Amino acid sequence: MPDTSPTRADVLLAAATLGLVVVAVAADRPSPGGAALAVVVGAVLGGLVLCASRWPLPALVATAVVILGYYALDLPPVGVAAPAAAVLYRVSERGRVVPAAVVAGSLLAVSVVARLAEGDDIAVVVGTELGSEAALLLAVIALGDAVRNRRSLRAALVRQAVAADEERHREAARQVEAERLRIAREVHDTLGHTMSVITLQSAVAREALADSDPAQAESALAAIRSVSGSAMAELRATLGTLRREPGPWEPAPGFDRLPALVDGVRRGGLTVDLRIEGPVETLPAVVGSTVYRVVQEALTNVLRHADATRVTVTVRATPGRLALEVVDDGHGGPPAGRRDGTGQGLRGMAERVALLGGTVETGTIQTGSTGATGTGGTAGFRVSVHLPLTGVAA
């Protein structure tokens, strides 16, 4: 809401209106009583200019009435446009253009009629004086409206700039949040899988040492060393991104590393069947990385919680869609419907897939003796993912 307090410009306009009347009195030299009354009326007109910002329409009507009364008292002539100009400007600047135009036109009409009734020369009244008075009134009304429009435009530009700045801050916050979630997913997937494999292989090594089987213990320790080295490389790449360190960029694990991931789990004693169907050689990199992380998280959960003996990983690719299914023959879903202890794994999996416009379905199923979905057997768990391939950047 605009400030309605009188401004310095209002004070100057009020003083100019009063000064106009004083000049007219000095030029006409009426009686002392008439001069004093004219100055009082001039002061009233100046006061109405100060009131026009807060009460535009009442001040406009009052100004018209005072001007008509001024001439009814036969005071020194000052015209109708000049004493009304300041109020008309302020009223138009406040957005009351139509009332200002109506009052201005009415004043001109009353003035013309009154002067013609008094016998003034019609050529002077309707010609020169009417034109100049009308031009002045139109000019002050147009100026007030232009100032208002300019102020409105400036306010709109300020609002747009503020809105754009707020949107930039929101977008920056969204990007920071998205990056934070991405890093959380990467760290969770990398460390979660690594720690699960280390736990499994360390148990294998311990049993091998107890059974005096150094070859098997060496194999388990080699698997621990391999998975630890891969995890450290991924963590260094993630930390390098956070610190903006120079150096070669390590790409995220992709579809081509899926067999190595499965082999690492197999070395721990868990049977994993990997089935790949369809054209997977041309999969977009982001899809391959997502498939790798989903399989990694699913196998990590199996190692941690399922107590399974067999897992089947099936990848089916078509020209427009990829389907991924990971099924184990473990004890099924965990309590309260959560697959892992923190709930972060499946949440991160769903976030990855959702970024590509895909869907994830998880749940307990009945598995047969081979781990394939069946109508009988023991309870197992299935992770089913569907990813679109059309419209995904390579």
Side-chain angles (χ1 to χ4, degrees):
M1 181 177 180
D3 185 13
T4 57
S5 301
T7 64
R8 183 180 300 177
D10 292 328
V11 174
L12 293 176
L13 290 174
T17 302
L18 175 59
L20 176 67
V21 176
V22 172
V23 170
V25 170
D28 195 65
R29 295 183 180 181
S31 63
L37 182 59
V39 171
V40 170
V41 175
V44 172
L45 290 173
L48 289 174
V49 173
L50 298 177
C51 297
S53 293
R54 178 165 296 181
W55 303 288
L57 293 181
L60 177 63
V61 174
T63 298
V65 172
V66 170
I67 291 174
L68 294 177
Y70 182 91
Y71 284 105
L73 295 173
D74 197 23
L75 297 176
V78 291
V80 294
V87 171
L88 288 172
Y89 165 78
R90 186 56 72 192
V91 170
S92 300
E93 187 264 341
R94 290 298 175 184
R96 306 295 196 273
V97 177
V98 173
V102 170
V103 170
S106 300
L107 282 175
L108 283 177
V110 171
S111 173
V112 169
V113 171
R115 294 186 64 183
L116 291 178
E118 292 176 356
D120 290 351
D121 187 359
I122 188 172
V124 175
V125 174
V126 179
T128 306
E129 294 187 1
L130 178 62
S132 60
E133 295 261 300
L136 178 58
L137 292 175
L138 288 175
V140 296
I141 292 173
L143 178 61
D145 188 50
V147 170
R148 180 183 64 85
N149 289 333
R150 183 179 179 183
R151 182 184 296 114
S152 299
L153 178 60
R154 186 166 57 247
L157 292 176
V158 170
R159 288 194 299 270
Q160 291 176 3
V162 171
D165 187 62
E166 291 177 351
E167 180 59 27
R168 283 194 296 270
H169 281 85
R170 285 193 294 267
E171 180 61 26
R174 285 194 292 267
Q175 292 179 359
V176 170
E177 180 67 11
E179 184 65 9
R180 186 186 68 80
L181 292 176
R182 185 191 69 81
I183 293 172
R185 288 193 298 266
E186 293 292 334
V187 172
H188 174 273
D189 292 347
T190 300
L191 291 183
H193 180 75
T194 301
M195 295 308 298
S196 296
V197 172
I198 289 176
T199 301
L200 179 63
Q201 294 292 355
S202 61
V204 172
R206 182 177 180 180
E207 292 179 2
L209 291 175
D211 295 339
S212 300
D213 189 348
Q216 187 175 9
E218 179 66 25
S219 177
L221 293 175
I224 291 175
R225 180 178 181 181
S226 175
V227 72
S228 299
S230 298
M232 286 302 299
E234 291 188 34
L235 285 177
R236 279 195 296 268
T238 301
L239 293 177
T241 301
L242 291 176
R243 294 172 178 169
R244 301 181 184 273
E245 294 178 347
W249 175 71
E250 289 288 337
F255 194 85
D256 58 329
R257 292 178 58 179
L258 191 58
L261 174 67
V262 171
D263 288 340
V265 176
R266 285 172 179 159
R267 286 195 293 269
L270 178 63
T271 301
V272 182
D273 295 329
L274 177 60
R275 303 171 184 174
I276 300 176
E277 304 173 6
V280 297
E281 298 82 6
T282 59
L283 287 178
V286 65
V287 174
S289 176
T290 299
V291 170
Y292 179 92
R293 291 302 192 190
V294 170
V295 174
Q296 183 184 53
E297 179 59 30
L299 293 178
T300 299
N301 287 337
V302 172
L303 293 175
R304 285 180 176 178
H305 314 293
D307 195 22
T309 59
R310 178 179 292 271
V311 181
T312 302
V313 180
T314 305
V315 180
R316 296 185 181 90
T318 63
R321 199 166 188 81
L322 182 139
L324 167 65
E325 187 177 71
V326 182
V327 180
D328 66 66
D329 62 354
H331 53 59
R338 294 174 66 179
R339 187 56 176 167
D340 67 313
T342 63
Q344 298 296 324
L346 292 181
R347 185 182 303 119
M349 183 189 300
E351 290 171 352
R352 288 181 183 276
V353 173
L355 289 175
L356 299 183
T359 59
V360 178
E361 296 179 1
T362 60
T364 303
I365 61 170
Q366 293 295 320
T367 62
S369 60
T370 62
T373 303
T375 58
T378 60
F381 197 81
R382 178 177 65 182
V383 176
S384 179
V385 174
H386 293 273
L387 292 171
L389 300 181
T390 55
V392 179

